[in-house]
Amino acid sequence: MLILRMAWNEVFRSFLPRPPGGRDFAYLLALIALLQLLGIVIFSAKLGVLERSVDAFLGKVPGYGVPVWVRQNYLAENDAGAMTQGMVDDLEARGFPVQTFRRTFDGDIIRLPAQDVWTEPRLNAEPAFEGIFADTDSVLAGQQRTTATATELSQDVMSHMWSIVLDRENFAQFLDLDAYRAALTGRVPPAALDDVPQDIASLDDMSLFWLEMRVNDRAHLVPFRVTWANYLGAGHIAPDFVLPAALHTLEAAASASPGLCLDFSAGPAPIAPLAGVQSPSLLLMSAEERAARSAPMGAALTDLHAALGGSLSVDNPSRVSWSAPDNSGGTCAATVPWVVAALFATAGDLALSDWDGLSPQPVPDVGVDVSRYTAPCSAINPRERAFALGAAESAQSSCGDDPITIETANASSGYDEMLVFAEDRIGLDGLVSVISCDGVTSRAPDDTLCMLLASASDEGGDQATESRIAIHNIYRDSLMRFGFLSRLIDAVSGPVGWSLVGLGVAILWVQLGTVLGHRRGQYATLIVGGLSPLQIVVLVCTQVAMCVVLGLAAAFGLFLAIRATLFGAIRALSTEYDRIALGEMLDVLPVPALGLLAFLGFMLLTGWALTYLQLRSKGVSRGGVIDRLME
C-alpha cells in the first residue's frame, strides 16, 4: 500500500498548478492517451469500413446476418433438381438460417387491375410489378410494418382474406392512384373504392389492395389485406410486394389438380366458392323488418351483379337473390370467390348472418402449409398422386377419397431461390464452403446438398463432388468484390499498423527515458531510505500502469467526441442511402469493446517492458545501484 500511495501521489501532483516534481507524468499520460486514441481510431475505422462494405455489397440484415443468394445449380454436370425442403432443413441444421421464396410477376399468378396502374418502366417498356411468395412474418417482409383498418368494411370478411405486404417507397413512387381508382370503379364494392386514398401522402390508410387472379377458369378481382412496410427483401432481393408462400402452394394445387375446384383466393383456410347469394325468406319477416332489409340487400346484390354479372332477382316477393355467371365448358361449377361476394353482400350495415348460408364453408379434407398441401386422393392429378404415393397404377386407382399430402418443394417443383444467412462477415467463408461442397468426397457423401461426379476422382480414389445449389451470379460478383476489398484492406493495414506500433514504441521509449532520467537522484534517495531496487521497479511500473489506464479513459472519451462530430454527416448519409442502412444509423466508427481490452493489455505489457529496460539501463536492479543512479 505504501508503494501504491507513493505512485499515486507523484502522478497526481504532476497535474497541480505548481507541481513539485515537474509535469513528467502528465506529459507521459498525455502521450499514452494520444497513442491509444490513434490506435483505437484506426482499428475502429477499419472495422467500420469492412462492416459497411458488407452492407453495401451484400446487405447485412439485423438479427439475421449476411445473406447469400442461392439458386438451383443449372450448370451442374448431373441433374441437380430443384431446391427441396430437405436442403433447407440441412442448412438450418448446420446453423445457417434460410429464407425461401418464389418470384412472381404481373401477369403470372396475379395481375394488376389495369396496366397503367404501375408506372415503373423496365427494359421492354412494360410495367415492372414484381414480388415474391415468402413467409410474410419473415425478414423478407420488411421492417416498420403498419396495418390500416377499414371501418366501413366487414371485419369478418377481411379476416378470411390473404395478406399482402407492400413496399411503402415503391408504391409511393410508382402507384398511380387515379388509374388504380379508375380500374376499380364499378368492379368492387363502393365502400372498398372509398378505401383508396386521394393522395400518396395517405397511402398508409389503404387497407385493401385488389389484384386480378384466375380462379376456376375465370378471372376475378380479389382483395388482399394490406400491411405496409419498408425495405422488403434483403440484399439484392428488393420486391414490390410479398405474398404468403401458402398462396403459391394452393395455386399449385389448383393448377395441377383442376378437379379440386379450389378457390385459392379465399384466404389461407380454403373456403368453398359461392354459386350464389340469397336473402332469407322475406315472407317470414314482419312488414317492418321486410321493408328495412329488402332495400339494402337489393342494393348490395345490384352492385354485385354490376361487377360480376350473373343473374339478379330483386323483385321476387319471397327473397332477394343473385346467381354466379354461367361457366359452361369449364371444369368447375359456376362460382365466384367467397371473399368477393361476401364483401359486396356486407355493404353498409349488412352482416354475414343477415344472408341465407353466406357464412364461410371450409373445404373438407383440404389443408395447406408453406411447402405442402393435403387433399382427397381421388381429386388429385394422377402424376402428383404417383409422386406422392410411389405406388403402381392399381394402387393409384383405388386410393379413394382419403386425404394425402403432396409436397410442393420436391426435386421437380422445389423453391426457385433462397437466402442463406451467415452470422457475420467472418462466417461467410464457412457458408460459401458448405454451399460449394468444398472438401466433400465419396468417403463423406452428403446426398442432400452434394452430388458425386463420376467423371473426376483424386489420387486416393475419392470422387469429386458438385453442389446441387449455386450462388447467384450477381451475388457471386458482389462476394468477389467484397473479398477483394477486405483482402486489400488487410494487406495494407498489416504493414501500416505494425509501422505505427513501432513508431509508438520508439516514442514511448524516449519519453520514459526522459521521465526516469529526471528522477535518478530521487530513486537513489529512496534506496538509501530503505527501498530495494525491486520496489523501485514496482513503484515505477505502477505509475506507468496508472498512466495507461487513465490514458485509455481519456482516449475513449476523445474517441466518443470524434464519433459525435460525425453524427450529422452520418445521419445525412444514412437517410440518403436508407435502403442500405435499413432505416438505421450507419456506424462508421464502431466501439471496439475487445479492441479496448487489447489496447489496454498491449500498452501495459509494452509500458512495463520499456520501463524495466530503462531502469535496468540506469542501474536499478543491478549491483552498484547508488553509484550508477548518482552519475
Side-chain angles (χ1 to χ4, degrees):
M1 291 299 295
L2 175 63
I3 291 178
L4 181 62
R5 188 164 56 251
M6 291 173 61
W8 170 250
N9 287 338
E10 188 168 12
V11 172
F12 176 74
R13 284 198 297 265
S14 68
F15 291 92
L16 296 177
R18 293 182 178 178
R23 299 191 183 277
D24 288 343
F25 282 106
Y27 296 146
L28 178 63
L29 191 152
L31 174 65
I32 291 176
L34 291 175
L35 290 176
Q36 291 182 110
L37 175 62
L38 178 64
I40 292 171
V41 169
I42 292 175
F43 183 69
S44 176
K46 177 187 174 182
L47 287 181
V49 169
L50 287 175
E51 293 298 333
R52 300 296 74 78
S53 297
V54 170
D55 295 339
F57 287 111
L58 307 177
K60 186 175 182 180
V61 181
Y64 283 82
V66 183
V68 175
W69 185 7
V70 175
R71 58 170 176 75
Q72 177 183 342
N73 187 2
Y74 295 104
L75 301 179
E77 180 178 314
N78 300 313
D79 181 11
M83 294 187 294
T84 65
Q85 186 62 39
M87 296 180 187
V88 174
D89 296 339
D90 192 346
L91 287 166
E92 290 184 335
R94 298 170 188 250
F96 300 111
V98 178
Q99 292 292 333
T100 58
F101 62 95
R102 303 175 191 268
R103 293 183 182 274
T104 185
F105 305 89
D106 182 28
D108 183 15
I109 295 176
I110 54 93
R111 186 185 298 274
L112 287 165
Q115 288 298 309
D116 58 349
V117 167
W118 196 253
T119 61
E120 178 187 8
R122 67 179 188 186
L123 293 179
N124 59 4
E126 294 182 2
F129 187 60
E130 178 183 352
I132 59 174
F133 291 101
D135 182 356
T136 52
D137 291 323
S138 71
V139 61
L140 297 179
Q143 303 177 25
Q144 303 168 11
R145 289 181 253 185
T146 59
T147 302
T149 301
T151 56
E152 296 183 2
L153 298 173
S154 170
Q155 300 305 305
D156 289 338
V157 177
M158 291 188 66
S159 65
H160 290 281
M161 295 178 185
W162 287 106
S163 62
I164 186 172
V165 185
L166 305 181
D167 188 277
R168 279 193 186 91
E169 181 180 351
N170 289 359
F171 270 72
Q173 184 175 1
F174 299 118
L175 179 66
D176 187 330
L177 281 176
D178 293 334
Y180 178 62
R181 188 181 298 103
L184 298 185
T185 301
R187 304 173 66 189
V188 303
L193 193 63
D194 294 338
D195 181 64
V196 180
Q198 295 299 317
D199 54 69
I200 290 296
S202 304
L203 203 57
D204 272 20
D205 297 333
M206 188 168 69
S207 60
L208 292 182
F209 191 67
W210 294 76
L211 291 170
E212 190 173 283
M213 303 177 71
R214 192 165 188 83
V215 182
N216 294 337
D217 305 320
R218 290 181 63 88
H220 297 280
L221 269 182
V222 178
F224 291 80
R225 285 185 296 112
V226 172
T227 296
W228 293 100
N230 294 332
Y231 322 119
L232 297 191
H236 293 275
I237 311 300
D240 299 314
F241 61 93
V242 178
L243 285 168
L247 173 57
H248 181 277
T249 302
L250 265 186
E251 192 279 333
S255 298
S257 303
L260 288 172
C261 292
L262 279 177
D263 177 13
F264 60 87
S265 67
I271 299 173
L274 289 176
V277 180
Q278 64 179 11
S279 69
S281 174
L282 299 176
L283 300 177
L284 299 179
M285 299 180 185
S286 65
E288 293 81 5
E289 185 180 7
R290 183 164 57 248
R293 297 179 64 181
S294 61
M297 284 184 168
L301 293 188
T302 299
D303 290 336
L304 176 59
H305 174 261
L308 302 184
S311 301
L312 176 65
S313 175
V314 294
D315 299 325
N316 189 330
S318 62
R319 69 178 68 240
V320 177
S321 64
W322 170 85
S323 299
D326 180 57
N327 191 33
S328 58
T331 305
C332 304
T335 57
V336 296
W338 178 87
V339 290
V340 178
L343 206 58
F344 274 98
T346 52
D349 296 329
L350 294 173
L352 293 175
S353 57
D354 292 332
W355 298 91
D356 189 6
L358 189 57
S359 298
Q361 302 298 315
V363 180
D365 299 325
V366 175
V368 63
D369 198 353
V370 173
S371 61
R372 61 181 62 89
Y373 66 90
T374 302
C377 181
S378 59
I380 292 178
N381 180 289
R383 180 178 176 276
E384 299 291 328
R385 249 183 357 226
F387 196 87
L389 299 175
E393 283 292 330
S394 58
Q396 294 177 33
S397 61
S398 60
C399 66
D401 290 331
D402 294 334
I404 62 172
T405 298
I406 304 296
E407 297 285 343
T408 58
N410 51 46
S412 63
S413 60
Y415 299 112
D416 297 339
E417 298 160 286
M418 59 186 177
L419 294 177
V420 188
F421 291 86
E423 183 176 0
D424 50 33
R425 61 182 176 83
I426 306 300
L428 275 173
D429 290 340
L431 175 55
V432 171
S433 295
V434 170
I435 293 173
S436 305
C437 292
D438 291 346
V440 178
T441 67
S442 58
R443 291 182 179 175
D446 185 337
D447 58 6
T448 303
L449 293 176
C450 307
M451 303 177 291
L452 297 177
L453 284 174
S455 60
S457 61
D458 59 22
E459 295 179 355
D462 291 332
Q463 288 178 274
T465 59
E466 62 178 347
S467 179
R468 299 177 186 271
I469 57 179
I471 300 174
H472 196 284
N473 292 338
I474 295 176
Y475 210 85
R476 186 176 293 279
D477 179 71
S478 296
L479 276 173
M480 180 188 68
R481 293 175 185 275
F482 171 71
F484 168 75
L485 179 62
S486 61
R487 282 168 175 76
L488 179 63
I489 292 175
D490 289 339
V492 173
S493 61
V496 172
W498 284 113
S499 298
L500 291 176
V501 168
L503 180 61
V505 170
I507 294 174
L508 188 58
W509 170 264
V510 173
Q511 183 65 25
L512 281 172
T514 302
V515 172
L516 300 182
H518 291 171
R519 283 162 172 71
R520 293 174 67 177
Q522 296 179 22
Y523 298 150
T525 302
L526 291 174
I527 290 176
V528 171
L531 290 183
S532 67
L534 178 59
Q535 288 175 311
I536 296 296
V537 173
V538 172
L539 171 67
V540 180
C541 286
T542 302
Q543 292 171 325
V544 170
M546 290 177 178
C547 290
V548 169
V549 174
L550 294 175
L552 181 62
F556 184 66
L558 291 172
F559 173 73
L560 294 180
I562 293 173
R563 279 170 52 95
T565 61
L566 296 175
F567 179 80
I570 297 306
R571 181 174 60 181
L573 189 66
S574 302
T575 302
E576 182 178 359
Y577 295 97
D578 63 326
R579 180 68 69 171
I580 293 176
L582 298 180
E584 299 184 354
M585 280 283 291
L586 292 173
D587 193 358
V588 295
L589 284 179
V591 178
L594 295 178
L596 293 176
L597 295 177
F599 277 116
L600 178 62
F602 176 78
M603 291 300 295
L604 283 175
L605 293 176
T606 302
W608 286 338
L610 295 179
T611 298
Y612 176 77
L613 293 175
Q614 282 283 5
L615 289 174
R616 186 178 178 87
S617 70
K618 292 175 173 37
V620 177
S621 80
R622 291 199 312 222
V625 170
I626 301 298
D627 294 339
R628 290 290 305 276
L629 287 176
M630 295 303 294
E631 290 178 356

